[in-house]
Amino acid sequence: MIKSLLLFLAPVAAWTADYDILIRNARVVDGTGNAWFRADVGVKDGKIALVGRAGGATAGRTIDAREHIVAPGFIDVHTHIESTVEKVPRGDNYLLDGVTTVVTGNCGGSQMNLGEWFDKIEKLGLGLNVASLIGHNTVRSEVMGTANRLATPDEIAKMQALVDRAMRDGAVGFSTGLIYIPGTYSNTAEVVALAKPAAAHGGIYTSHMRDEGEHVIEAITEAVTVGKENGMPVELSHFKIDNRRLWGSSDQSLALVEKFRREGVDVVVDQYPYDQSSTNLGIRLPSWALAEGKVKERLADPGLRRKIAEEMMRNLADLGQPDYSFATVARFRPNTAYEGKTISEINVLKGRAQTVANEIETIFDLMNDGGAQMIYHSMGEVDVERIMRYPFTAVGSDGGIIEFGVGMPHPRAYGTNARVLGEYVRVRGVLTLEDAVRRMTSLPARTFGLRDRGLVRENMAADLVLFDPARVADRATFANPHQYSQGFEVVLVNGKIVVDDAKLTDARPGQALRHSR
Ligand SMILES: [Zn+2]
Ligand SMILES: [Zn+2]
């Protein structure tokens, strides 16, 4: 009798409670960058309903924070989730790194039909919130394929119409990846023209710039030109110096960003906290060699093959790299035994002598087998730290949703936020805790127009993380990437608990965040 009465009363108690969830005894790092303060945080109907003293208030679920940190859920504005969100719609690696919202479609690559895609992924049951940019390479491929030439006025108009449709479907802005095929074949005028409809809908321009080394100053200037011409904000993606000969020169590139800001350009940057990058193998080849998908045909032509190899030799020297030992295979489906090995190591495995010319032959072999996803040790730690200290650098992983255990991905998809909070805040003291959280929350929310997220404030969406500042740490490494971060005890998305006692729950409260003016 007593048991059945309790069962009957339990839902009634929740129904009449003051809050759905009440986190007591927290130290709140509210996302503004201000010093932490003690408070209780109450959540009701998906929103933050209280930041203050809860007193005798009741809740469906009460969590004792034990003086750990409550912060806004992290907003990762630089992700690439298109290829895996349908396999892992919960977004496990992100939730366990404290991320509650991702912006995808970066570096020029997005879904073409965002309206359909948003509907589709919402039906799958998202663990986290998803916003998207519309990608330049996506619309250019749609209209022009991978043609190595400038666009005609008619093609520009067609591409503008696609950008306009994507913005109406809820894109947060327009992204470019100007080292990739086919965006690399465009000129600045094309990018300015295609960003225009995004600006008209209040969108942002984000850019994986044409160059991140020798010509980074020109590349920053080009990106800022797009923003200035269209009167739109600019985010420079994964800001870095990726040329070994130029390590340490980020003082100059940051000074240029700051100069533009003083002149009234709204330009900020994002960064992942690692000295290694990750992208495809094809970027090592001259871009003309990849046009129209005919790389194999060109490699089969002895004259062109020699020409490609010669350009690669020069590019390698320009990068200040003695050989391809800085390049590690992350994912190579035809032979997973190569994953985790450098091009130099694979070259030796193939029985070839250790010369740059032979390593280029090894790269050609991999390209003939469809290419590979790579990790490049291309940055210096001096620049990583200096860029991180710049006040308007947001934290963004440049990672994707990961299928646990598949390939040897860059650890950034698992550990970006925990690494900033552990390694760069607690261990090295590069940032204060409050400033680091600001760069994960209110700074990206401001830039991408996510007006009801990024702060622990009443009436904001209840995206929250509870973590232990003494324990939070990344565990994913280059050698052993498939390891979730530690220290995130509770994560809420839209007022629902997605991580409880440091473990994923079955809740799928994520939403597609469709941008509206
Ligand atoms: Zn990129
Ligand atoms: Zn990217």
Side-chain angles (χ1 to χ4, degrees), residues 66 83 95 139 143 182 187 197 202 228 231 236 246 283 316 387 392 402 411 421 441 493 500:
R66 295 167 295 133
S83 64
L95 293 181
V139 299
V143 172
N187 59 10
K228 269 188 183 169
L236 307 176
L246 302 171
I283 63 152
L316 190 68
I387 291 166
F392 307 116
I402 302 286
L421 296 170
T441 56
V493 172
D500 198 358

Side-chain angles (χ1 to χ4, degrees), residues 337-506:
Y338 289 170
E339 293 170 358
K341 294 197 168 60
T342 67
I343 293 293
S344 303
E345 288 167 339
I346 295 166
N347 182 61
V348 169
L349 276 180
K350 283 174 172 280
R352 290 179 176 137
Q354 242 177 325
T355 68
V356 168
N358 284 341
E359 291 183 1
I360 288 173
E361 287 298 313
T362 294
I363 290 174
F364 290 166
D365 290 347
L366 299 186
M367 289 305 293
N368 275 326
D369 280 332
Q373 182 70 15
M374 303 294 294
I375 289 169
Y376 297 115
H377 190 181
S378 58
M379 290 171 259
E381 196 58 39
V382 173
D383 294 312
V384 173
E385 281 198 12
R386 186 189 286 130
I387 291 166
M388 191 178 290
R389 282 195 184 94
Y390 181 62
F392 307 116
T393 300
V395 177
S397 66
D398 199 11
I401 290 174
I402 302 286
E403 290 176 83
F404 191 84
V406 175
M408 289 288 278
H410 193 299
R412 63 195 181 186
Y414 283 99
T416 284
N417 293 284
R419 181 167 171 78
V420 170
L421 296 170
E423 180 68 20
Y424 289 91
V425 171
R426 188 178 60 239
V427 178
R428 299 195 206 176
V430 173
L431 300 176
T432 65
L433 176 63
E434 290 86 344
D435 195 27
V437 168
R438 177 184 64 86
R439 295 154 183 272
M440 298 164 179
T441 56
S442 69
L443 175 60
R446 176 214 77 104
T447 308
F448 286 76
L450 305 171
R451 295 193 191 113
D452 61 343
R453 292 171 206 275
L455 290 172
V456 182
R457 288 260 169 89
E458 289 169 12
N459 295 318
M460 300 292 271
D463 294 346
L464 295 165
V465 295
L466 169 64
F467 65 93
D468 179 354
R471 263 195 83 238
V472 65
D474 60 312
R475 294 171 60 242
T477 61
F478 288 95
N480 194 357
H482 294 285
Q483 302 192 81
Y484 295 116
S485 295
Q486 69 175 38
F488 295 104
E489 294 155 343
V490 177
V491 179
L492 268 67
V493 172
N494 297 318
K496 296 282 187 299
I497 297 176
V498 291
V499 172
D500 198 358
D501 195 19
K503 286 182 215 48
L504 292 159
T505 71
D506 292 327

Side-chain angles (χ1 to χ4, degrees), residues 61 108 160 195 242 252 278 320 454 487:
R61 166 84 190 270
Q160 282 179 320
D242 78 347
Q252 291 162 42
S278 181

Side-chain angles (χ1 to χ4, degrees), residues 78-80 105-108 176 180 208 237-238 270 272 278-279 397-399 412:
H78 195 111
T79 71
H80 298 275
N106 279 281
C107 300
T176 55
Y180 296 119
H208 178 153
S237 299
H238 43 58
D270 60 60
Y272 49 85
S278 181
T279 186
S397 66
D398 199 11
R412 63 195 181 186

